[in-house]
Amino acid sequence: MNNFEELNLNPDIISAITELGFVKPTPIQELVIPVLLESERDLVGLAQTGTGKTAAFGLPMIQKVDTSINQTQGLILSPTRELCMQIAKDLQSYSKNNHKIRVTAVYGGTSIETQISELRKGSHIVVGTPGRTLDLIKRNRLNVSKINTVVLDEADEMLSMGFKEDLDAILEGTPDTKQTLLFSATMPAEISRISKKFMNNPVELSAGTKNVAAENVKHIYYEVQARDRYEALKRIADINPKIYGIIFCRTRHETKEIADKLITDGYNADALHGDLSQAQRDSVMTKFRSRHLQLLVATDVAARGLDVDDLTHVINFNLPDENEIYIHRSGRTGRAGKSGISLSILHMREKHKLRSVEKITGRSFEKMLVPSGKEICAKQLYNLVDRVENVEIDESQIAPFIEAIYQKLEWLSREELIKKFVSVEFNRFLSYYKGAKDLNKIDKSRDDSRGSREDTGRRRKDVDGRRGDDEGRRRNRDDANFTRLFINVGSSTNLNPASLIGLINKNTKEKSIDIGKIEIMKNFSFFEVDKAFEKTILKSFEDTDFNNIPLVIEVANPKQSGNEGSPSSRNFKRRDSFKGKENFKGKENYSRLKNKDGRKRRENKK
Ligand code: AMP
């Protein structure tokens, strides 16, 4: 298909998108638009952000609006405030030649009253986060009874953020006759289940293969010792002077730490994580979008709402626990037809994870060597020379000074002058990388890669000069701020790290709890949390359930954390092999393994 006319879109829509620079439909648009315009059939679309899916569902939705009816006819549910705002903005620009169409975004973290008065004016299409949308429905401020199209956008993200019940409640109030569209970047089992529940014989369309990473993204990895991870990150940034990328970390703690270090080391970086206020988040995102920041260090959850098309790199400071998260991360580059690089910094124990990511993404990863100091200096030098060559001279501004400058430098030859100008900037790199070690040499006898914790911010003390600590002492010191908790659900009940975090957020209503290592076993799981929140968490989980299983949560035996870096170790195999009445039985067996301290605590509780 060569153009939008062939898709039977209205001329006012075509003229609006032509002004936006859309020349021909993207693959997902080619597939989805005809189905939506020509049938009432439900649809499941497998597409990542960046493939043009907003226009794929948005253009037909706009075309189908009947402006003579002052009712909400289209509802789009999306996981984050930023995505809602972005989708609403996109829809407004697609419909700018039809002034009668009104699109409203509703999301949490901001005054509900303003949104209520917007809705009162009448809104044909509402784009909302599930929580705020449900709130407005319950207050009778949003009427979904006349909806003819519902879109569940980024459905996998909505589920992993714990919005399943809100979605159930919202969809309950919509007409049975509506057309339901579900878009997801990945297709976990839960999405297949939800599509069966909410949809009627949906047509499945995909702009690629299931769970496959974007085509035009190159996947590379560097292998270093865990303690050299940060140094490797800096070298990667230095060898790519024009880098514009997101560095993904696992925890807020690590995110803050890495961003702080980068800022201290003179990089144009900042952090994006859940501890920031909405205003701070907005400010960081605006700076990043406008390229005033080159590097954004972010957690997966915080980066969800960030929609940037031209990232050069996605950097996995460590590999995520879930392969699907890797697909989401890497899909943030190589968008809108551009190419991109997704790179991962690994230590040797993470290599097995790499194989499983390769399997699920269908892409092989290329190993690259961490650049040497010499290579970086050369790259920076040529980049500097490039900048000198291309800089624009503002003749009128420089004119008053230039004569005096000529006189001052008169005694230098051309060659000396060039060397001096270049050295002003270049000396910084030369001195930093003088005698820099080769990070690709891995001392396999020195096992500093156990677990992921030493890669987090808690390593700072090591950097400050206490690197000689033995492994055991380091782990104990690190553990001091964290409590390890047991919970009686695991992968067999579809718990994954994202849904566990969603559960903690939902139950505690606290978004600032530091979460450490998460271990999902078959029938139960362990996770570390900031000690200060231990009681809050234990209390908030009372009388709650997950996928209809009543939850039991308690402090895990500290002794058993010794083997946590290696889930295949004997202890874990034993605990994970508990069978029988699934969760509760598993929990009882686990309790028997606990030491006296654990028992005392439970007795005290009684
Ligand atoms: P989305 O996947 O909806 O977030 O879209 C990603 C980017 O691609 C956005 O900046 C869109 O404006 C742009 N886009 C969507 N469709 C097209 C198209 N047919 N041609 C060019 N750009 C497009």
Side-chain angles (χ1 to χ4, degrees):
M1 177 120 9
N2 286 323
N3 58 42
F4 283 100
E5 276 84 7
E6 290 170 54
L7 289 174
N8 293 328
L9 287 165
N10 289 345
D12 60 336
I13 294 179
I14 294 184
S15 63
I17 57 176
T18 306
E19 275 179 51
L20 292 173
F22 294 14
V23 179
K24 63 181 196 122
T26 64
I28 192 78
Q29 290 164 1
E30 266 185 34
L31 292 169
V32 170
I33 294 174
V35 176
L36 300 194
L37 287 182
E38 289 154 24
S39 80
E40 296 300 315
R41 198 151 162 211
D42 289 350
L43 181 151
V44 174
L46 192 63
Q48 297 187 327
T49 312
T51 53
K53 72 178 156 74
T54 313
F57 64 74
L59 301 180
M61 191 181 247
I62 289 167
Q63 181 145 320
K64 283 161 113 177
V65 163
D66 181 350
T67 49
S68 67
I69 305 172
N70 195 14
Q71 294 272 10
T72 302
Q73 298 159 43
L75 176 65
I76 300 162
L77 296 167
S78 178
T80 65
R81 156 197 161 113
E82 288 78 16
L83 277 172
C84 284
M85 295 197 304
Q86 183 65 44
I87 294 170
K89 205 169 117 234
D90 286 350
L91 264 54
Q92 279 152 359
S93 53
Y94 305 152
S95 60
K96 69 176 191 172
N97 295 332
N98 183 346
H99 300 291
K100 289 187 188 149
I101 293 188
R102 280 187 306 271
V103 181
T104 305
V106 297
Y107 42 80
T110 187
S111 156
I112 195 165
E113 295 306 327
T114 321
Q115 293 170 357
I116 289 174
S117 62
E118 274 297 305
L119 291 174
R120 205 175 284 132
K121 289 183 211 155
S123 191
H124 300 108
I125 298 176
V126 171
V127 191
T129 50
R132 179 56 62 96
T133 303
L134 186 59
D135 196 356
L136 287 161
I137 293 172
K138 281 184 179 160
R139 292 175 190 226
N140 289 326
R141 301 301 184 181
L142 173 61
N143 178 2
V144 291
S145 66
K146 299 286 186 299
I147 296 283
N148 53 40
T149 316
V150 171
V151 177
L152 305 174
D153 187 36
E154 309 237 336
D156 50 350
E157 296 283 345
M158 288 201 280
L159 288 188
S160 67
M161 287 169 84
F163 285 134
K164 186 164 173 282
E165 280 147 29
D166 288 352
L167 293 180
D168 281 342
I170 294 168
L171 293 176
E172 208 162 87
T174 56
D176 291 341
T177 50
K178 69 185 177 294
Q179 185 173 30
T180 306
L181 321 172
L182 181 151
F183 287 89
S184 191
T186 59
M187 210 37 78
E190 184 69 3
I191 294 285
S192 304
R193 256 196 299 281
I194 210 165
S195 69
K196 285 198 185 77
K197 180 169 171 203
F198 291 129
M199 306 173 89
N200 189 7
N201 185 25
V203 51
E204 276 196 35
L205 297 176
S206 161
T209 345
K210 279 184 189 179
N211 293 349
V212 155
E215 278 292 336
N216 36 352
V217 177
K218 192 170 162 194
H219 301 265
I220 58 182
Y221 75 95
Y222 297 88
E223 192 182 347
V224 295
Q225 303 212 134
R227 65 194 154 106
D228 289 331
R229 230 187 256 264
Y230 175 68
E231 184 59 33
L233 172 68
K234 286 204 300 184
R235 289 200 193 179
I236 291 162
D238 286 344
I239 198 85
N240 293 292
K242 294 186 183 139
I243 194 167
Y244 176 48
I246 303 181
I247 301 162
F248 283 99
C249 295
R250 285 152 71 108
T251 62
R252 292 158 206 225
H253 194 92
E254 189 179 63
T255 306
K256 281 188 239 177
E257 180 74 20
I258 300 301
D260 281 353
K261 280 180 173 179
L262 286 171
I263 295 165
T264 310
D265 289 339
Y267 292 84
N268 185 10
D270 210 337
L272 188 69
H273 52 75
D275 282 353
L276 303 179
S277 68
Q278 189 62 50
Q280 286 170 317
R281 281 164 49 104
D282 286 347
S283 151
V284 173
M285 289 201 219
T286 308
K287 278 194 280 174
F288 187 61
R289 276 195 201 101
S290 60
R291 287 184 171 248
H292 283 97
L293 282 178
Q294 259 188 297
L295 292 171
L296 185 70
V297 192
T299 56
D300 291 291
V301 175
R304 266 177 192 147
L306 188 64
D307 209 28
V308 182
D309 277 344
D310 44 5
L311 294 183
T312 59
H313 290 75
V314 160
I315 300 179
N316 299 282
F317 191 68
N318 30 45
L319 279 179
D321 289 330
E322 299 283 304
N323 293 338
E324 275 144 12
I325 294 181
Y326 181 87
I327 295 178
H328 272 287
R329 286 182 179 181
S330 59
R332 292 183 158 277
T333 183
R335 292 168 56 161
K338 301 189 181 93
S339 60
I341 295 173
S342 171
L343 62 86
S344 308
I345 307 173
L346 308 180
H347 60 65
M348 58 189 193
R349 284 187 172 230
E350 279 179 311
K351 271 182 92 178
H352 71 279
K353 276 200 203 167
L354 185 75
R355 301 287 161 251
S356 96
V357 179
E358 281 184 326
K359 219 166 149 198
I360 192 160
T361 55
R363 301 267 175 278
S364 52
F365 283 49
E366 188 186 330
K367 180 173 176 173
M368 303 242 324
L369 292 178
V370 182
S372 67
K374 209 167 155 195
E375 286 168 308
I376 290 169
C377 287
K379 183 79 182 238
Q380 288 286 347
L381 184 57
Y382 291 123
N383 182 51
L384 178 60
V385 173
D386 242 22
R387 276 168 49 212
V388 170
E389 223 181 346
N390 295 320
V391 72
E392 275 190 30
I393 299 170
D394 188 334
E395 298 285 356
S396 63
Q397 296 283 340
I398 209 168
F401 312 101
I402 203 74
E403 215 31 65
I405 296 171
Y406 283 157
Q407 272 178 26
K408 180 133 183 41
L409 302 176
E410 198 175 44
W411 59 280
L412 290 166
S413 71
R414 179 179 181 273
E415 286 71 27
E416 280 166 331
L417 191 60
I418 292 174
K419 276 193 260 174
K420 275 188 184 281
F421 263 92
V422 168
S423 299
V424 168
E425 177 111 1
F426 185 55
N427 280 354
R428 200 161 55 90
F429 281 96
L430 274 186
S431 65
Y432 182 79
Y433 282 112
K434 197 169 171 193
K437 69 170 183 171
D438 180 359
L439 299 186
N440 301 298
K441 281 208 179 112
I442 295 174
D443 176 1
K444 297 204 170 152
S445 64
R446 216 200 115 103
D447 179 9
D448 71 344
S449 58
R450 189 166 300 172
S452 61
R453 58 190 54 220
E454 64 259 67
D455 309 322
T456 70
R458 286 162 275 165
R459 257 185 74 73
R460 171 166 262 186
K461 289 180 192 132
D462 297 357
V463 176
D464 286 346
R466 286 201 260 152
R467 193 169 278 171
D469 284 9
D470 65 84
E471 182 81 11
R473 274 176 52 209
R474 190 159 68 211
R475 193 156 44 232
N476 289 343
R477 187 185 62 214
D478 289 347
D479 280 344
N481 298 330
F482 279 82
T483 298
R484 188 160 175 265
L485 300 178
F486 160 89
I487 188 163
N488 65 319
V489 280
S491 58
S492 64
T493 23
N494 292 320
L495 187 79
N496 61 33
S499 57
L500 179 62
I501 294 171
L503 207 55
I504 298 168
N505 290 345
K506 186 174 127 209
N507 288 348
T508 59
K509 312 247 176 335
E510 271 280 353
K511 297 241 160 114
S512 58
I513 300 177
D514 258 350
I515 298 171
K517 194 170 170 64
I518 294 176
E519 294 150 280
I520 308 285
M521 319 303 281
K522 192 172 165 216
N523 292 325
F524 50 84
S525 308
F526 296 94
F527 61 102
E528 293 176 336
V529 289
D530 185 344
K531 227 184 185 86
F533 288 94
E534 179 185 310
K535 283 207 179 84
T536 315
I537 292 180
L538 292 179
K539 179 108 193 83
S540 73
F541 273 72
E542 280 173 12
D543 299 324
T544 59
D545 59 54
F546 177 71
N547 286 346
N548 295 326
I549 292 173
L551 289 178
V552 177
I553 179 170
E554 54 188 54
V555 177
N557 177 355
K559 266 193 171 171
Q560 284 162 344
S561 59
N563 287 316
E564 64 204 344
S566 157
S568 60
S569 64
R570 237 182 317 150
N571 263 354
F572 276 100
K573 267 195 186 138
R574 217 170 117 199
R575 284 190 238 142
D576 199 25
S577 66
F578 296 147
K579 293 248 163 62
K581 283 215 164 154
E582 295 297 335
N583 301 289
F584 279 105
K585 190 98 177 270
K587 190 238 148 194
E588 280 160 24
N589 283 341
Y590 165 72
S591 298
R592 251 180 267 135
L593 283 174
K594 293 181 67 157
N595 68 3
K596 276 186 197 150
D597 282 0
R599 276 202 292 276
K600 233 186 254 160
R601 206 167 304 142
R602 277 208 312 285
E603 278 153 20
N604 289 344
K605 256 170 68 185
K606 286 178 198 161

